[in-house]
Amino acid sequence: RKRGGDTGVAAGGAEGKGASHMSFGEAMHRDAGPPMGGARGGGRGMDSGNSEFGSQANIARSNVQQLLTNIATITRLSSALGGAKDTVDLRERLHRLIEESKLLSVDTKEVVKDLGNIANGGYQGGGSGNQRQRIEARKLSDEFTKTLQKFQEVVRQTLAKERESVTKAKR
């Protein structure tokens, strides 16, 4: 199962059943549908563990980079909350991007998990893995974890800022 593309924020929205009514925890633990951004691996028809590992590693790198781009965009958009540029459109775009990023992070988690399995030889038909793959899988896992923590913090800050601006508007 391969997925790819851009964030689609300008042209599209988050897809999937009930994505807009789901908590962050639910989104992180469900079997996600195709995200609007990044690539998703899983092309298990490859012949060797090395080419499969390389393919999955490239997808993981691409997804982490897309998440970092999304984080920067979320930060920029959330800075307008409560100000003159705060519009319904801005909030919808912000929520769409957050949902898309949640789905991308779920997919990336699976890719990183697959990388670890390939590198440790626990992948059907993938060979026995090697030291270079184990090191690279660990680095990508660490990078994804840091990116995910950054994303979660930005989302917390954004939602707090949004609640604050709603409270001010009610006064």
Side-chain angles (χ1 to χ4, degrees):
R1 189 171 107 180
K2 253 192 173 165
R3 301 179 192 163
D6 296 328
T7 60
V9 174
E15 292 183 18
K17 245 183 219 179
S20 62
H21 302 291
M22 176 176 312
S23 75
F24 181 73
E26 290 168 335
M28 293 305 294
H29 293 99
R30 75 182 186 111
D31 183 22
M36 294 300 293
R40 167 61 174 113
R44 291 186 161 84
M46 302 211 122
D47 290 337
S48 78
N50 281 339
S51 61
E52 177 65 11
F53 183 89
S55 173
Q56 294 291 85
N58 286 337
I59 290 167
R61 277 188 219 92
S62 173
N63 286 1
V64 167
Q65 186 59 49
Q66 186 61 57
L67 282 168
L68 289 168
T69 300
N70 290 0
I71 289 166
T73 303
I74 291 166
T75 301
R76 182 178 50 79
L77 293 174
S78 68
S79 68
L81 291 172
K85 294 182 180 181
D86 189 350
T87 64
V88 172
D89 184 54
L90 173 102
R91 288 173 186 256
E92 286 174 356
R93 183 170 180 218
L94 193 54
H95 288 193
R96 228 179 6 254
L97 185 56
I98 289 170
E99 288 302 317
E100 291 166 6
S101 298
K102 286 177 188 178
L103 295 174
L104 183 58
S105 68
V106 169
D107 282 348
T108 306
K109 178 182 174 185
E110 290 302 313
V111 173
V112 169
K113 183 178 171 184
D114 288 349
L115 278 174
N117 288 336
I118 295 168
N120 291 312
Y123 188 72
Q124 225 173 20
S128 62
N130 63 45
Q131 184 67 21
R132 181 196 61 77
Q133 288 178 343
R134 284 190 289 277
I135 291 169
E136 188 171 355
R138 170 62 26 213
K139 284 181 181 179
L140 284 167
S141 177
D142 290 347
E143 186 178 350
F144 171 63
T145 299
K146 288 175 188 170
T147 302
L148 186 58
Q149 289 169 343
K150 201 179 293 187
F151 170 66
Q152 290 168 336
E153 181 58 30
V154 166
V155 169
R156 276 192 288 276
Q157 291 170 352
T158 298
L159 296 177
K161 192 167 185 178
E162 188 173 26
R163 279 191 299 272
E164 181 184 315
S165 69
V166 168
T167 303
K168 282 182 183 177
K170 286 182 180 180
R171 291 184 204 158

